[in-house]
Each structure stands twice: as C-alpha cells, then as structure tokens.
C-alpha cells in the first residue's frame, strides 16, 4: 500500500506538469487586451496585445502550479528511493527496521498522497479554467486529463481520511517527547519526522500563555528581501507544522477531560487535517530544496546547469511564498507572521512571479511531453493552436458526417432547418372583422406554424 501511494505521489507530478504545459503554452499564444506601453506594432500595424500569461492573475494561477509539479517530482523520487532502501535492508538483513521507521514512512506517504493528489486535482481544474472557454473543449486535452486523474484522490486511502493516519503517528512523537524517552527519540533521527523534534522541544520548554505560539517569528523589521531567503522560509514551515501538531495534542487532551475519547477525536478532525497538510507541505519544500542541492553537488555530472538551478531555485521560493500566502491564517495563528509582514510577503511573491515568468514556457518544455502524449490542440509544441482547434472541430462526428453534401450535421434537415431557414415565427390574426359575423382567429405563420 505504501509503495502504491509513493507511485501515486510520483505520477501526480507528471499529471500536474502536463496540465501546466497545456495552460502555459496556450497563455503564451493567446493575446488579449491592448498594450498601450508597447512601441512596436504587429500584423500590419495592428496594435500590440498582451500575452495572457503577462497578466498577474494568470501568473498567480499557473506559475505556482508549475513550481509544485517540480516539488512533487523531487519528493516522489525521494520517497521511492527511501522505500527501495528499506526493502533492501529488510531483504539483506543489514539493518533493523523499527516500528518507528515503518510508522514514519506510512505517515509520509499518507500525508503526501492526501495533499499532493488534492492539490494536483485542483490544479488541473485551475489550468482548465485558465484557458477560458477553450479549456472546456475535449480537444484541449484537459478534460480527459482531469477525468483520468480524479480517481487518485480516492484510491489507496481517501484524502479526507488519511490525515487521521498521519496524526496518529505524529502524536507518538509528541508522547515520546513528553515522556522524555531518549531511546525512542533516538529512533526518530533517521525519519522524516526528525525535523519536528527541535521546534516541539522549544515549544514544550517555552510554555507561556499561548503554548502553541511559534518560537520562531519574522522580526518586526523584516523586509521584502528577507522573504526571498529559502532557509528562513523552510524554518517557518517547520515551526508551523510543529505548532499545529501540538495544537492537536492539546485539543485532544482538553476535550477528553470533558467528553469521551471518541467525541474528542471527532472534534479534532479539522485540526488534524491542518496538521497533516502542514507536514506534507514542509516535506515537499524540503525535498525540493535537497534535490536541488544534490544536483548542485554533482557539478559537471549533473543534468542541470547553473542557469537551470537558478530558475528552479526561484520556483522553490515561489512555491514557499505561494503556500505561505494561501495558508496565511496558519502563520498568523502561531504568530510566526504579523499583519505588518503581509505587504512584504506579497511583494516578494510578485517579484518572484516576475523572475519566473521568462522561463515559464522553457520549464514546461523541459518535461519533454510530446504532442501525441498531451493530446491537446491548446498545448501544441509549435503553438499553432487555432488551426488545430478547427481541425478537431471538423473531425467531430456531428460535423464530419452529413445527411447531404452541404456539410451540415446530423439531424439538421429533420429538426433545425425549419427553425433556421424559415425564419422566426410571426404572430398575426386571420379572418374578417367581427361586425360581418365572422370570428377573429389568431394564428402563427412562418416557422412556428409549421412545427
């Protein structure tokens, strides 16, 4: 089951990147809105128009999704490699696999499967919406892609249920820390949960009026530039996860003092979902960062050059800022951020969108999806979108097959022709005047009278 979840996580990257490729390529081709700042003219003095991808709202919708597809890619590779390593150790007997390690990989795959598939499914739908009316067309490729992928949110554990499995495992770490079990805590050093130990310890030692107040917070003099520092952003996500986990533990403890354990668990389900989401988002950002560092250490043997690493680092920053903006209430709740930080956060997000925009199409092309694979008129590599849409329309059976040589669709002669060719119905009165002994009769002429 854990291996299947790992493959679902890994394949989510592919599905999301395919949707981003279609939407971003189309957004680069589609032009809309007069660009008054442009000095040059195109198409025989026709006024320049903006590429749709140059609009901020389009960038905010699509570029973070593209960045997330790379984050899920690196995380999927890490999870699969870790599972393979555990399998090798079990078969060879070279190491003892403890229950702590097994529980950890279960929590990792469960949280990532729940978060990544939900984010990907929503992302594919956002990509379809970002293509406007053409996104509804079957030939866009997004309709089939969405329908094919949606089952991932349910198979191998429903996304609304898996957070409970995640929190059950994470709460064991909280219990071990509260009990001061050093031997058990040592087992966590090789797990994905190890990042929680330091912030949880600081929270438990700090106490105070708000026990779940983060021990890390952005200073009051934080600038926009400070929000571009990846280690600082990762630390914020790390403390967010620890605070939300401790919040679940305290809520359960408080509720069980006045109600049954079952009711306390039921009341904490929403908090569990937030804690699981925080755990997954940190793992995605951490593995993205670690993956880039590993490629950088490879030097000349890496498939990524300095420019590629720079652009992907910008994607990492963009994704962290995007999720911080999307889940702003979490960071405000733990007092890691204050309201005064929000303008700097959002300005940093705008700056990062500007930095990633020139590389957007290249980041899509780098995934090397063929036109055959995408099956999309909108996401064609050559950008010849509109002839492809017309070709797809001509191939539709309703347009391709005809009852005559005029090229009309099936059913036209039987139903539509008399509505269109005869014009709209006209209302008139027939008969002579009532004074002559004749009745006035109302009738319809034209199309309606022939139906």
């Amino acid at each position: 089951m854990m291996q299947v979840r790992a493959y679902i996580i890994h394949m989510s990257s592919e599905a999301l990147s395919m949707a981003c490729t279609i939407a971003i390529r189309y957004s680069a081709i589609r032009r809309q809105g007069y660009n008054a700042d442009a000095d040059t003219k195109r198409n025989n003095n026709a006024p320049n128009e903006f590429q749709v991808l140059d609009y901020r709202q389009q960038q905010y919708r699509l570029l973070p999704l593209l960045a997330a597809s790379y984050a899920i890619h690196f995380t999927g590779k890490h999870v699969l490699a870790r599972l393979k390593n555990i399998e090798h150790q079990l078969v060879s007997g070279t190491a003892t696999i403890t229950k702590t390690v097994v529980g950890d990989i279960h929590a990792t795959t469960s949280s990532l499967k729940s978060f990544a598939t939900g984010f990907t499914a929503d992302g594919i739908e956002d990509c379809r919406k970002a293509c406007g009316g053409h996104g509804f067309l079957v030939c866009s490729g997004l309709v089939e892609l969405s329908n094919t992928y949606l089952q991932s949110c349910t198979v191998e554990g429903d996304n609304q249920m898996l957070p409970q499995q995640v929190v059950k495992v994470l709460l064991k770490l909280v219990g071990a820390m509260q009990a001061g079990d050093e031997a058990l805590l040592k087992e966590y050093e090789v797990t994905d949960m190890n990042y929680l130990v330091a912030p949880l310890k600081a929270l438990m030692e700090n106490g105070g009026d708000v026990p779940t107040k983060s021990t890390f917070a952005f200073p009051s003099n934080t600038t926009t530039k400070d929000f571009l520092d990846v280690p600082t952003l990762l630390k914020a996500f790390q403390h967010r996860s620890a605070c939300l986990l401790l919040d679940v533990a305290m809520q359960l403890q408080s509720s069980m003092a006045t109600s049954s354990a079952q009711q306390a668990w039921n009341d904490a389900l929403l908090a569990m979902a937030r804690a699981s989401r925080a755990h997954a988002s940190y793992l995605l950002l951490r593995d993205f960062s670690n993956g880039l560092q590993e490629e950088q250490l490879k030097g000349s043997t890496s498939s990524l050059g300095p420019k590629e690493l720079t652009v992907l680092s910008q994607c990492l920053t963009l994704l962290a800022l995007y999720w911080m903006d999307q889940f702003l209430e979490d960071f405000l709740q733990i007092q890691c951020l204050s309201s005064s930080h929000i303008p700097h956060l959002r300005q940093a997000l705008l700056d990062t969108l500007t930095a990633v925009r020139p590389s957007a199409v290249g980041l899509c092309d780098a995934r090397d999806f063929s036109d055959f694979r995408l099956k999309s008129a909108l996401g064609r590599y050559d950008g010849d979108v509109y002839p492809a849409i017309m070709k797809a329309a001509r191939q539709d059976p309703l347009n391709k097959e005809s009852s005559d040589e005029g090229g009309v669709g099936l059913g036209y002669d039987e139903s539509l022709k008399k509505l269109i060719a005869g014009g709209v119905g006209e209302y008139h009165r027939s008969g002579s005047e009532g004074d002559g002994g004749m009745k006035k009769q109302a009738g319809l002429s034209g199309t309606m009278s022939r139906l």
Side-chain angles (χ1 to χ4, degrees), residues 139 377 380 385-396 399:
C139 68
R380 291 173 58 94
V385 170
Y386 297 104
I389 293 175
M390 290 301 298
K391 181 180 179 181
R394 292 189 185 101
Q395 291 175 339
D396 189 288
N399 296 326

Side-chain angles (χ1 to χ4, degrees), residues 118-430:
F119 186 84
T120 298
D122 292 341
I124 294 172
E125 175 64 9
D126 284 340
C127 286
R128 186 194 62 74
K129 292 176 181 177
C131 292
H134 286 152
F136 280 97
L137 298 175
V138 172
C139 68
S140 72
L142 292 167
V143 176
E144 180 181 343
L145 179 61
S146 178
N147 290 339
T148 302
Y149 183 80
L150 279 176
Q151 52 89 24
S152 299
C153 297
T154 303
V155 298
E156 291 302 329
D158 182 81
N159 285 359
Q160 300 300 317
M161 302 300 294
L162 284 177
Q164 295 182 65
Q165 299 289 321
V166 177
V167 172
K168 278 184 179 180
V169 176
L170 297 183
L171 286 176
K172 292 179 181 179
L173 171 59
V174 177
M177 295 192 66
Q178 289 175 335
D181 192 337
E182 295 297 332
L184 182 56
L185 288 174
K186 192 170 181 63
E187 295 181 6
Y188 283 96
E189 292 178 359
V190 294
T191 67
D192 286 328
M193 291 185 284
N194 188 50
Y195 78 92
L196 289 166
V197 173
L200 281 175
K201 183 178 180 181
L203 284 169
M204 292 177 182
E205 290 176 349
N206 186 51
D209 296 332
V210 185
T212 57
K213 178 183 176 181
S214 175
T215 54
F216 167 78
F218 284 87
S220 58
N221 61 347
T222 296
T223 64
T224 299
K225 186 177 179 180
D226 295 325
F227 278 103
L228 300 176
D229 183 61
V230 171
T232 302
L233 294 173
L234 288 175
K235 192 172 184 180
F237 276 85
Q238 179 181 349
H239 281 259
R240 168 205 181 203
S241 183
C243 289
L244 295 182
L245 175 60
L246 188 59
D247 184 56
V248 173
M250 294 181 64
Q251 182 176 338
L252 284 171
Q253 185 178 5
S254 175
S255 296
M256 284 191 291
T258 57
S259 61
S260 65
Q262 182 178 1
Q263 184 60 46
W265 186 267
N266 188 30
D267 291 340
L269 289 180
L270 298 180
M272 291 180 191
R274 288 190 289 269
S276 177
R277 181 180 65 194
H279 182 58
S281 56
Y282 172 76
L283 293 180
L284 284 163
L285 293 172
R286 183 203 64 182
D287 290 342
F288 194 180
S289 177
N290 290 345
L292 294 180
Q293 290 176 15
E294 290 171 7
E295 291 296 327
Q296 191 171 16
L297 291 174
K298 290 179 182 178
S300 59
T301 61
S302 172
S303 59
L304 301 176
K307 292 183 179 179
E308 288 82 2
L309 287 170
T310 298
V311 172
L312 288 174
S313 296
Q314 292 170 345
C315 287
L316 170 59
T317 306
L318 172 61
L319 184 59
L321 292 171
Y322 175 75
W323 278 341
M324 188 172 281
D325 186 46
Q326 287 284 297
F327 307 124
L328 190 59
E329 69 276 6
D330 289 347
F331 294 94
L332 292 174
Q333 174 188 328
I334 66 173
Q335 300 180 42
C336 178
L337 288 176
S338 67
S339 58
S340 64
H341 293 126
I342 297 176
H344 298 293
L345 164 65
R346 290 179 173 164
Q347 184 58 51
L349 180 56
L350 283 175
D351 293 344
T352 313
L353 287 172
T354 301
V356 174
R357 164 63 183 93
S359 306
V361 175
L363 286 166
C364 294
D365 293 347
R367 301 305 294 264
D368 200 24
F369 294 119
S370 65
D371 287 344
F372 177 81
R373 184 91 183 277
L374 291 175
K375 293 185 283 188
S376 172
L378 306 186
R380 291 173 58 94
Y381 180 76
D382 61 8
D384 205 11
V385 170
Y386 297 104
I389 293 175
M390 290 301 298
K391 181 180 179 181
R394 292 189 185 101
Q395 291 175 339
D396 189 288
L398 286 175
N399 296 326
K400 190 174 183 181
E401 300 176 15
S402 172
S403 58
D404 54 36
E405 297 180 357
V408 295
L410 295 175
Y412 175 79
D413 288 328
E414 295 85 355
S415 302
L416 294 179
K417 184 176 181 180
K418 54 189 177 182
L419 290 175
I420 299 172
V424 298
E426 294 180 358
Y427 180 82
H428 70 92
R429 291 184 178 275
S430 59

Side-chain angles (χ1 to χ4, degrees), residues 82-103:
R82 189 171 173 219
L83 275 172
K84 187 174 182 180
N85 183 50
I86 291 175
E87 182 182 357
H88 174 73
Q89 290 176 347
L90 286 171
V91 173
S92 63
T94 55
T96 301
I97 305 299
T98 65
K99 290 183 179 180
T100 301
V101 171
V102 174

